[in-house]
Amino acid sequence: SKSWQRYRDVTKKCYTKFSKQGKDTKDVTPKLKLTVEMCMTKTRVFDVQKFLDGEYCRSKNTNIWKAFFASQLKNPEHILLDWNVVFENKVTEGQDAKDTTAVDDGGPSRQFLSECWKQLLALHILVGKKPVKLFEKSRSGVIPVTDDFLCHKVKISLSKQSGCDDSSEIDQFIENAKCYYRAVGRIILHSIMVSTTVSSSALVPLFQNFLLRNCSPRDPEYDKDDILQHITGIVFGDNPKKALSDLLKSTHETEDEEGNREEIILDENNIFSVFVYDACIDSRKIALSAMLDGLAPRDEKGEVIIDLRDIFWMMPHDAMERILFSRQSLTAEEVIGCLVPQFDQGGSEADADSVDRLECVQ
């Protein structure tokens, strides 16, 4: 499709633009180096939380801080091009440091991204010594917590530990949360730009549409049956159709584009564009705006470097999902398609019963 071709053209153009500096084509930009301390366990290779906490607490002048957390990118190539991920074990006495590292020839980078998706649910910020989670689990996958939940948890944690809930302190921790959400957006953007699939559970279809296609329940093009499927298990339980039907003719307070509050009566024409939008999208403005900031980074002049929504808005969601995201399940046809048949030609009368026997190996 045209969208797919444009996606490939944009990634190629970004590589050509940002992988070289100056007039000398041999002057290639160094890859962003991510040094990760391994902690081999049954569930993880390294601790994503520990890695992000460590980088966030470092100087804001480091390349990783600017690439992951800054609102503006000084070096776009650090996100848009390949990384140099180095897994390090702690060196024991008498052990050579060279033997404890893994050279990134593609594998460590993919492992890094895979661990990010696996550990996304556990991501949090620390308010004093109290962790405040940034994501929660839904039936469809991991979703950001609501603004009310995040602000309430920060306020409660501050009140219990220091006895105060000053608004400026709360705002500072909310800014910390935004930096972590922005980092998640940057990691997703990097994964897309280097053609590595993103876990479908890390970004559920509702937010795939909003963040990558600029498509929300407000848009008439967003099929209502698809919306019902995508919000199942997120806010209205396992039967959102019935839940929404029960809300018809009730009143709902919403906010218009100018920030004015008003009460409306819910009907079939506005329950998706107003109520569902408020419950699913508007209620998570802190997280989604920061993730969008990460996915559509700006340069030091404030100009958008790349906006994936310009590429994927015209592409059907199903097509975009197949290109960018891993599948949660496989069909029988897909499993059969992965099999490689080998035909035993036989060789003697004793083997006559095995002639043309089909052996399937995966």
Side-chain angles (χ1 to χ4, degrees):
S1 68
K2 291 182 179 179
S3 298
W4 165 250
Q5 187 57 48
R6 189 177 181 197
Y7 164 58
R8 300 308 303 164
D9 290 344
V10 167
T11 54
K12 184 177 180 180
K13 183 179 179 181
C14 284
Y15 180 82
T16 303
K17 179 179 180 180
F18 295 113
S19 63
K20 297 167 185 176
Q21 297 174 333
K23 297 180 180 180
D24 186 359
T25 57
K26 295 182 179 180
D27 188 11
V28 179
T29 303
K31 296 179 181 179
L32 181 66
K33 183 177 180 179
L34 308 181
T35 302
V36 181
E37 183 180 316
M38 297 179 68
C39 61
M40 297 293 291
T41 68
K42 292 182 179 179
T43 58
R44 61 183 60 178
V45 175
F46 75 98
D47 192 328
V48 174
Q49 182 73 48
K50 184 177 179 181
F51 170 78
L52 290 178
D53 287 345
E55 296 301 336
Y56 186 71
C57 292
R58 294 182 194 274
S59 168
K60 294 184 179 181
N61 292 322
T62 65
N63 286 332
I64 296 179
W65 205 101
K66 293 176 182 177
F68 278 45
F69 305 111
S71 58
Q72 296 177 330
L73 279 179
K74 182 179 181 180
N75 302 104
E77 65 275 5
H78 286 163
I79 287 296
L80 303 180
L81 303 182
D82 293 329
W83 287 338
N84 177 24
V85 177
V86 178
F87 287 127
E88 287 190 343
N89 278 321
K90 290 184 177 180
V91 181
T92 58
E93 187 176 352
Q95 188 177 17
D96 188 347
K98 292 182 179 179
D99 295 333
T100 65
T101 61
V103 179
D104 192 354
D105 196 22
S109 285
R110 290 191 292 273
Q111 184 65 51
F112 177 90
L113 294 171
S114 177
E115 291 293 330
C116 287
W117 315 141
K118 290 179 183 178
Q119 299 179 41
L120 190 60
L121 181 61
L123 197 63
H124 61 265
I125 58 170
L126 283 177
V127 181
K129 296 182 179 180
K130 182 74 173 179
V132 174
K133 67 178 183 178
L134 301 178
F135 293 89
E136 60 183 332
K137 190 175 183 180
S138 74
R139 200 183 79 170
S140 304
V142 179
I143 61 174
V145 298
T146 63
D147 297 354
D148 288 344
F149 176 91
L150 181 61
C151 294
H152 175 71
K153 286 296 184 181
V154 169
K155 184 176 180 178
I156 292 297
S157 298
L158 278 175
S159 179
K160 286 183 176 180
Q161 296 179 69
S162 61
C164 74
D165 53 2
D166 184 69
S167 59
S168 61
E169 274 199 88
I170 294 174
D171 290 344
Q172 181 57 54
F173 284 107
I174 297 301
E175 286 301 315
N176 294 351
K178 287 181 179 179
C179 285
Y180 278 66
Y181 283 126
R182 187 179 297 120
V184 172
R186 295 273 166 83
I187 293 171
I188 293 174
L189 173 61
H190 171 79
S191 184
I192 291 172
M193 293 305 296
V194 299
S195 301
T196 301
T197 55
V198 181
S199 170
S200 56
S201 63
L203 198 62
V204 298
L206 181 71
F207 300 131
Q208 292 174 17
N209 271 324
F210 180 72
L211 294 173
L212 299 177
R213 297 182 63 240
N214 198 22
C215 179
S216 76
R218 282 182 174 175
D219 297 302
E221 294 83 7
Y222 201 163
D223 186 78
K224 289 181 172 57
D225 288 335
D226 288 340
I227 296 176
L228 288 172
Q229 180 182 349
H230 293 167
I231 66 175
T232 299
I234 294 181
V235 287
F236 305 114
D238 293 333
N239 192 352
K241 187 174 183 178
K242 183 181 184 305
L244 293 177
S245 178
D246 293 341
L247 290 170
L248 291 175
K249 297 183 180 180
S250 63
T251 58
H252 172 66
E253 185 177 347
T254 187
E255 188 176 285
D256 61 23
E257 294 180 356
E258 297 178 355
N260 301 316
R261 306 294 297 183
E262 61 176 342
E263 276 196 355
I264 63 170
I265 298 176
L266 296 174
D267 56 35
E268 293 180 353
N269 296 319
N270 63 25
I271 196 164
F272 284 94
S273 61
V274 177
F275 186 78
V276 174
Y277 180 89
D278 287 352
C280 298
I281 305 296
D282 195 62
S283 64
R284 294 173 171 81
K285 284 190 291 189
I286 292 174
L288 295 179
S289 61
M291 291 176 69
L292 187 58
D293 190 24
L295 282 162
R298 298 177 181 273
D299 60 20
E300 292 183 299
K301 296 179 180 179
E303 298 178 357
V304 176
I305 299 167
I306 183 172
D307 191 342
L308 297 176
R309 295 174 299 176
D310 291 340
I311 303 172
F312 295 115
W313 71 269
M314 65 182 74
M315 184 183 291
H317 172 261
D318 288 348
M320 182 195 72
E321 191 175 35
R322 285 177 177 270
I323 293 171
L324 303 181
F325 295 89
S326 62
R327 300 287 298 279
Q328 288 185 320
S329 59
L330 295 175
T331 64
E333 290 80 5
E334 289 171 328
V335 173
I336 293 172
C338 294
L339 302 179
V340 180
Q342 292 184 348
F343 294 92
D344 187 351
Q345 297 299 323
S348 65
E349 292 183 2
D351 296 327
D353 60 338
S354 65
V355 175
D356 293 332
R357 177 166 53 87
L358 178 62
E359 296 180 345
C360 292
V361 294
Q362 191 167 358

